[in-house]
Amino acid sequence: MDLNWMMAVAILLPLIAGILVFIIRQYHIRGLIVILTAIALIINSIFLMLHGPDTYTPTSHYWGLAITILDYAMLLFYIYAGLSLKNWLVLIFALTQIIPLAYWEFGMGASKALEEIKPAFVFDHLSIVMVLVISIVGSLITIFALRYMYDHEHHKEIEKSRQSRFLFWLVMFLGAMNGLVMANNLLWLYFFWEVTTLCCFELIAHDLTKEAINNAARALWMNSIGGTAMILAMIYLFAKGGGTAELLTLESIIKAGGNQAMLLLPVALMCFTGFIKAAQFPFQTWLLGAMVAPTPVSALLHSSTMVKAGVYLVLRLAPAFAGSYLGIMVAICGAFTFFAASILAIAQTTGKRVLAYSTIANLGLIIACAGINSPLAIAAAILLIIFHAISKCLMFLCAGTIEHLVWSREIEDMEGLAEKFPVTTFITAIGILSMFLPPFGMLLGKWLALESVFAVPLAAILFVIASAATMVFWAKWLGRLLQVLPRLGRKFESLSLSYSVPLWLLVLGIFVVGIGVAPVYQRFVSFAVNNVVAATEAFAAGWNIVVPSASVAAGGTGALIGSFPVWPLYIVFGVAIVLPLIFVTIKPGELRPVYLCGEQVGGVDTDEWITTADQKAKLQLGGFYWQGATGEGAVNPWFYTVSIALLIILFAVVVGVSL
Amino acid sequence: MGIINTSRIKSPWIMHFDNSSCNGCDIEVLACLTPLYDVERFGIVNMGNPKHADVLVVTGPVNRRTARVLKNLYAQIPDPKMVIAVGTCACSGGVFHNCYNILGGVDKVIPVDVYVPGCAAKPEAIIDGVVLALQKLSKALGVAK
Amino acid sequence: MNQWWIAIIAIIVAPIIGGFLAGIDRKITARLQGRYGPPIVQPFYDFFKLLGKSRIATSRMQFVWIYGYLVFMITCVVFLVLKLDLLLLIFLLGFAGISFVLGGFSSKSPYSHFGANRELMQILSYEPVLLLMALGVYAQNGSFMISEIMKPGAAPLLPSLWPIFIAVLLVLTIKLRKSPFDLSTSHHGHQELVKGIMTEFSGPYYALINLTEWYEIVLVLGIVALFWANPLWVGIIIALAAFVLELIIDNIAARMTVGWMVKFTWAVGLVLCVLNIAYLYLIKGGA
Ligand code: SF4
């Protein structure tokens, strides 16, 4: 296929499809459009992969003009939003973007220079990995959203359907993300960045409750701080480049960076932008607030878009801070977020908030890997991006499905779900296990990260505590789902196709990509790693993941640093869990009531017992949350203090080096 | 199955349930665990949970309230299982036999394998009772002893 | 092919060693309490008796997770004898632990529920220490492979990693379910929460748990032995000495609370590990 077309499909098709679904208000036709768009995006992303790395500049100058106009339109809209919501933070940070931007483009005359930038888009293997993740995982979410939004409005008994509007922003989001990961021109990168912020704002506010609007505004102003930082970075680069656009591309920053201490400040500013988008401490609250939105939004924000833009940018800039103190600080900031979010997740009673903290934690892990910046760490980061997208998307879709089965987001209300909805519970269990246990991909990534983390020992210590806390909060959530009374004869529930197809495809994805991780790595991820850092080692041998020592990589002989036998462990998983799941059966005669000191009354499946007052009481169990020790009230003051201090140290170090 | 049957004899885990005894027999049951008698020599372990028990040791006469509990606990012990009634009360109701709330001995509610009389039953007698129960079990299983 | 044989032999021999160790445990404990104690082979009698009991169930999933517990524990032992990646071994051990916890959560029983929560807290206590131990080994050897630790001519780890060794002893106490950390369940007949996480497992499945624990004893003592892997007999003696030390601690210590356990293992165990690793980092000047 022609490159022109591929770019158009990747970026513009979602926009066009979005407009179409916005206009056409018929459920089935709209669904068909979304599904066709999803298929087109997936196929297109595969074509892009086959095409390989390339550069692209649209021939017409009108594109540049259009982007400039839309930039200002968006910023003006933010000002309007700030005024109409009477949210001064939104207003202030909109102004801090629009004023420097306008001054820079017109006052300093950057707009001329910007038009000259070639190539406007560069996509290397890292971009291709991102495009695949966005197109495949993101598309599945849009399909899931079709039915979900229908049920959502049905349940809330909303008179006037706003599904069209919702799908418009949702589908368009994918295009903006595709643009973002391929943009080379910094102003265009900034443009796509702002589009994702805007989509995010609109989607969070979708339900138009007071809480939704407040949280959307918070997401807006926090990300606007990031936008401001990016504009400052651009102005700085423009000035350093002697009033030319020479340094205003990602390519040039990466090439020049590392050797030039003076570039460290803009790189730090852009990393800071990435931190905010990736909801790193102390900016985690916008992503937590985003949980009020309908679940497909959360799924999209957490798995393939939005937050992944943040980690993508940090990862992309990794060569620019290689070997500097900035790298170490990035690693420590990321590791701290991994640690803090994992601890906080233990105390959460709402399923979606656990997921949110877990996302924040994993993004911290990825950013820490980018900061460590060895080939091994970068490989870990990219694998984590892929696996996290799949697993987290599955978890959110599960959370959404459960929400529509029990109409609650509270973990306590999910008790005994295994009995009522075995299929959903099975899929959720796979999702949860795949988040933190071997042999699944997320653990493989974490394992790689831990094998590389010794370069920054402080991060190592945060890693290990976080990784233990991760086990606790996932296991106790899954435990609540499994808690059933002794009873047989459960029926498999049937889910709407729009729910079940994405769910099962993602489960399949977890296993296929998980088992095939070594070939996937060799064919594919290793190139992306090489785009970030020159890796001489090959981390895969046959079907296994291995970590050779540096001497082996240099052609010498030496022992391995570590090895991860992939398929043997999947066989172990099969023998340990899958086979018993299929073959263990129990007969009705074998059931006994649970031990209640012999005081239970009723049949085998009873949970009633007689108290000392000779009255019947019902057994009630609740999860542990240790809110006194790990709740937000108890630990947040500390976490805020430390994370703000870390950011200050980060900038102090950078300014110190630059001066 | 030979090894399993031998093991059954060698490892009786007991659960002790007190209906409405005067506590005399209970003290004696616990005395069996002390260093002087040390029933763990024979693999006897005192379990707190019917699901892990092989032998149910019952003391005291059954009253209207404990009858239900006793039945529940008995049902939760996996087969094969033995029941030992320890003390005169547990055997027949003893001194409490005609109280308004007493149903009588344990065998009014669940099948009893061995009766250990005595008020209170001596630890030696209790250990004897367990051994007797094991002999009965080995006979039932066809393992001569 | 050789590797296969080693793995198969380990799978067969490990539980036998573990069973005898459990028997020695009971014997020594009895002696410390002034009793005569059961025969050394008593754990095997218990095991076979339990296998022969009829099966009773409170949910299907609790059985499934017990298989997970067993199979992953066996995998850990195989990882140890095949000298594979230590860090991955610890993660696999994590899966085994989590399987057990989920088994406890799988029935709506207050006692197993409490036990499972406590077991989770135990995991939270020992997991960071074990992971830091792997990092300490890396700091010393530049590799996570157990084969590097056991390579002929490799220096023993204990002299440079003795603070981590002390921390690992704490883990050993938790893993062997010994006082003061026998919180989720214990090997003594009676305890405060009936039988904690094991309350609802009975008969053959309780036997499987016993079997898994035998593998676990061998595994954790094997990890302790790694601290002096050249020559290995010194390590084995150290491991056995550690085992006896645990028994003595078990008999002189009272059970503590869960919160105390987390605080204590983190305050003592983690700090020791951190100081050790920081020292190694400084003298080695980074990776
Ligand atoms: S038999 Fe005697 S000692 Fe035993 S419970 Fe009855 S009255 Fe008490």
Side-chain angles (χ1 to χ4, degrees), chain A residues 342-343 346-347 468-473 475-476 624-627 629-630, chain C residues 97-98 101 105 113-128 174 177 181 183-184 197 256-266:
Chain A
S342 301
I343 295 285
I346 295 178
T470 310
M471 296 174 101
V472 173
F473 70 76
K476 75 191 170 69
F624 269 74
Y625 296 96
W626 293 281
Q627 262 157 347
T630 65
Chain C
I98 292 291
V101 169
F105 274 130
H113 180 94
F114 264 95
N117 272 316
R118 289 176 166 202
E119 182 78 19
L120 268 182
M121 283 294 103
Q122 294 188 353
I123 291 176
L124 183 63
S125 304
Y126 69 68
E127 187 77 10
I174 301 176
R177 309 191 186 289
F181 301 133
L183 294 156
S184 72
I197 187 169
M256 301 304 278
T257 62
V258 178
W260 187 86
M261 171 188 64
V262 178
K263 279 190 209 123
F264 183 78
T265 46
W266 283 24

Side-chain angles (χ1 to χ4, degrees), chain B residues 20-26 59-61 86-90 93-96 118-121:
Chain B
S20 41
S21 82
C22 76
N23 259 200
C25 288
D26 304 322
T59 55
V86 170
T88 310
C89 291
V95 288
F96 303 109
C119 178

Side-chain angles (χ1 to χ4, degrees), chain A residues 20 54 142 169 197 225 240 258 279 316 333 337 372 435-436 451 454 468 542 571 588 597 630 633:
Chain A
L20 277 179
D54 209 340
T142 56
W169 291 111
T197 305
I225 300 178
K240 279 284 169 194
R316 174 59 85 200
C333 286
T337 299
I372 295 167
M435 287 302 298
F436 72 114
E451 301 232 316
F454 188 66
I571 291 178
C597 305
T630 65

